[in-house]
Amino acid sequence: MSEVQTQDQRIQLVLSRLEAVIDAENKALGVERDYDLKRSNALKSRCLYDMTMLFKRIRPGQLAPGHKRRLDSVRAKLDVNEAKVKAHMDAVRDIADMIKESVAESEADGTYSAEQFQGYSLS
């Protein structure tokens, strides 16, 4: 097997893995409550790292037209992924803010629990 064929196979493998991770994450975000975003992010980061290392040795002109099209497709999916992850993180931040505000309001509403006054006497 020639070095070019091996390189083509590596490119195909890395792009396939990255595309599968991105597709799964894009499909799950906002739909699957128990989706492991941390694990997915780790997989995506590893694929991007592998791709970066692989492409360090390749000049853009050396890429086969099929790889260029696939790379463009992956880039488009990454753009969608970026928007979905940002929307997800914004939603998480908004919910956390609502919870903080709710707790602050409940603590400032002028009511006190009996536990707060245990040990105090009015005389």
Side-chain angles (χ1 to χ4, degrees):
M1 188 174 288
S2 75
E3 188 176 326
V4 172
Q5 285 177 317
T6 304
Q7 185 171 297
D8 279 351
Q9 289 174 338
R10 286 186 196 137
I11 292 169
Q12 281 291 82
L13 180 63
V14 168
L15 290 176
S16 293
R17 281 188 1 233
L18 178 57
E19 198 166 22
V21 170
I22 294 167
D23 286 344
E25 189 172 289
N26 284 347
K27 183 179 176 185
L29 280 174
V31 178
E32 293 181 30
R33 291 183 63 179
D34 296 332
Y35 186 71
D36 191 347
L37 188 59
K38 187 176 181 179
R39 180 178 180 277
S40 179
N41 193 47
L43 290 170
K44 187 171 45 177
S45 292
R46 181 60 202 201
C47 289
L48 289 168
Y49 173 81
D50 290 346
M51 190 175 86
T52 300
M53 293 293 101
L54 182 61
F55 282 94
K56 271 187 171 185
R57 297 181 218 126
I58 302 169
R59 292 188 189 123
Q62 293 176 307
L63 275 177
H67 292 321
K68 287 179 185 178
R69 284 189 299 276
R70 186 97 184 262
L71 193 55
D72 287 342
S73 173
V74 170
R75 280 186 187 139
K77 289 179 181 191
L78 275 169
D79 289 342
V80 170
N81 183 258
E82 179 184 18
K84 285 185 170 238
V85 169
K86 183 182 180 315
H88 176 79
M89 297 309 293
D90 288 347
V92 168
R93 195 173 300 107
D94 289 347
I95 290 170
D97 287 346
M98 283 189 281
I99 291 170
K100 283 192 322 189
E101 288 172 15
S102 176
V103 168
E105 286 175 16
S106 72
E107 290 176 349
D109 70 354
T111 60
Y112 302 94
S113 68
E115 295 165 64
Q116 290 174 304
F117 292 103
Q118 285 181 342
Y120 291 101
S121 94
L122 295 175
S123 50

